[in-house]
Amino acid sequence: MKTITVSASRSYCVHIGAGLLSSLGKETAALCKPGKAAILSDSNVWPLYGKIASESLEKAGFETVNFVFPAGEASKTSAVYLNVLNFLAENHITRSDCVIALGGGVVGDMAGFVSATFLRGVPYIQVPTTLLAAVDSSVGGKTAIDLPAGKNLVGAFYQPKLVLCDTDTLTTLPEDIFRDGCAEVIKYGVLYDPQLFAHLEERGLSFDREYVISRCVELKRDVVMEDEFDTGERMRLNLGHTFGHGIEAQSHFTVSHGKAVAMGMAIVSRAAATLGVCDPQVKDRILALIHLFGLPVKTHCPAPDIYRSALSDKKRSGGTVNLIIPERIGFCRIQPTPVETLQSFLEAGL
Ligand code: NAD
Ligand code: GLY
């Protein structure tokens, strides 16, 4: 097992290793007084891991209750959010009880936002079961739900008490969803770590799970500790997301987040090489790695449509969009780009 400590507004551990789910009760008991544990999960994850999680908590002296909502982004709504709050109230959950997020990023974001707001804050523990949640969403305290106007428009920064990542749970992930998480893993290599990038080039999809997840979490930890509230360095994690979000939204979410981010990284890499910001070999390595993981490097989405969506990027400030552009493997620059030149940048990368 590997343990990484995140010291943000709250300090907490991220445990990563095989078979950890059965120690959920013991780990929770070390942080919260035995009382009630409300497990939030989705309709795919609960049948697979609900029993192990609840038995472990009960063995450690917790009374468990569970709320399971339909799997998928379509559940990250205000309606489900209110249902979960009502469920917690009906079950008399107090601030000395705890919430457990058992699932991928959708469950984690929902459970985190519920925990941030119910009774003005109850403790919660992230138990990520997708690769994306393990390397990204379970760490760093961003919690959110969606509005009809866009994804993640309502949320809070609220750090968990613990992240418990059992790498065995990733074995039941559908391959496509595992590959989606790989886009975020590649992103960390491009942003910060040539060695991680080289490991992925060498091993492809059979990369060392514990090493790669731990390294990504360490990198994210460093970013969160420097910029918990997303005013500077943290925006670098947006690599591939500005145009990726555009592609995702324009496809009405039929293109997955991971594939859209892969295409977004390919676009900025090609544009960077065309505009002389990075060596063409850097661009070639990034494109080859994305391809190696079975992720797309080209989009059929028309440039004006991607451009329009990119303008509503959350990271936009006034008349500029902060593009994250690879210079070399392991370093990307933040380039404030006037909206007037965004379209020509995009076209250079398509
Ligand atoms: P997800 O939670 O919808 O999970 C993807 C699918 O995999 C779902 O159908 C789920 O039921 C299934 N699943 C999960 N674990 C499984 C397992 N072990 N075995 C079998 N099936 C399993 O999606 P995701 O990709 O994990 O997360 C995407 C969400 O994360 C988005 O809502 C996004 O906005 C959010 N996100 C948040 C942050 C953050 O910092 N808070 C960062 C990145 C993404
Ligand atoms: N996933 C982006 C962030 O945590 O800032």
Side-chain angles (χ1 to χ4, degrees):
M1 177 178 85
K2 181 104 191 273
T3 297
I4 295 156
T5 304
V6 182
S7 298
S9 49
R10 170 186 290 162
S11 193
Y12 56 98
C13 291
V14 182
H15 297 315
I16 299 153
L20 293 185
L21 189 55
S22 54
S23 61
L24 175 63
K26 184 171 69 89
E27 296 293 346
T28 306
L31 297 164
C32 308
K33 278 188 246 132
K36 284 187 187 157
I39 310 174
L40 309 187
S41 191
D42 77 22
S43 53
N44 291 332
V45 177
W46 179 257
L48 291 168
Y49 301 111
K51 190 163 182 276
I52 311 178
S54 36
E55 283 183 356
S56 173
L57 286 159
E58 283 157 15
K59 228 165 93 183
F62 290 91
E63 181 192 335
T64 64
V65 290
N66 60 78
F67 188 99
V68 179
F69 54 77
E73 187 71 27
S75 284
K76 237 174 84 174
T77 58
S78 52
V80 173
Y81 167 70
L82 286 177
N83 288 341
V84 180
L85 293 179
N86 281 317
F87 169 81
L88 297 181
E90 281 155 16
N91 282 283
H92 311 290
I93 298 296
T94 69
R95 284 195 198 132
S96 56
D97 296 319
C98 70
V99 168
I100 310 285
L102 176 67
V106 166
V107 170
D109 278 12
M110 171 64 78
F113 187 51
V114 162
S115 303
T117 48
F118 184 68
L119 306 180
R120 300 193 184 92
V122 292
Y124 79 114
I125 290 175
Q126 289 274 13
V127 185
T129 62
T130 63
L131 181 60
L132 178 140
V135 299
D136 193 354
S137 60
S138 65
V139 179
K142 277 191 184 175
T143 74
I145 57 169
D146 302 334
L147 291 181
K151 269 184 64 159
N152 298 330
L153 291 184
V154 184
F157 290 95
Y158 189 62
Q159 303 292 341
K161 279 245 173 196
L162 172 74
V163 182
L164 191 76
C165 174
D166 180 346
T167 51
D168 284 346
T169 61
L170 304 181
T171 55
T172 52
L173 270 183
E175 193 181 309
D176 218 36
I177 293 170
F178 185 78
R179 283 181 204 274
D180 280 346
C182 292
E184 304 288 351
V185 171
I186 294 170
K187 182 187 83 176
Y188 284 106
V190 177
L191 280 172
Y192 297 116
D193 192 341
Q195 249 177 305
L196 170 64
F197 193 94
H199 176 85
L200 297 172
E201 285 181 316
E202 201 185 309
R203 298 277 290 268
L205 279 167
S206 53
F207 62 79
D208 177 333
R209 305 286 188 258
E210 194 170 315
Y211 158 66
V212 166
I213 294 171
S214 305
R215 190 64 197 124
C216 293
V217 169
E218 280 170 354
L219 292 165
K220 180 143 191 192
R221 180 263 323 264
D222 293 346
V223 174
V224 169
M225 283 172 62
E226 184 179 335
D227 179 24
E228 180 175 356
F229 299 108
D230 205 6
T231 57
E233 180 61 30
R234 194 162 178 172
M235 76 174 77
R236 238 182 271 270
L237 298 179
N238 215 30
L239 171 64
H241 285 61
T242 305
F243 298 129
H245 279 153
I247 294 167
E248 200 183 358
Q250 290 301 322
S251 77
H252 301 287
F253 297 93
T254 55
V255 172
S256 69
H257 180 71
K259 290 185 189 64
V261 167
M263 290 187 248
M265 277 193 288
I267 291 171
V268 288
S269 304
R270 275 192 294 263
T274 304
L275 302 171
V277 176
C278 79
D279 196 286
Q281 281 177 345
V282 171
K283 176 256 305 175
D284 289 344
R285 280 183 74 192
I286 296 171
L287 264 54
L289 188 59
I290 294 172
H291 184 70
L292 180 68
F293 277 81
L295 292 162
V297 293
K298 280 272 179 194
T299 174
H300 299 298
C301 188
D305 293 353
I306 304 176
Y307 170 72
R308 255 197 316 279
S309 287
L311 288 183
S312 55
D313 192 280
K314 278 205 292 302
K315 305 284 189 292
R316 177 175 165 182
S317 91
T320 59
V321 171
N322 288 307
L323 287 178
I324 313 303
I325 305 179
E327 283 192 13
R328 54 181 189 274
I329 304 300
F331 182 77
C332 295
R333 71 161 74 152
I334 300 175
Q335 183 160 302
T337 307
V339 290
E340 304 81 52
T341 57
L342 192 65
Q343 189 157 357
S344 58
F345 181 93
L346 169 64
E347 279 162 3
L350 284 173

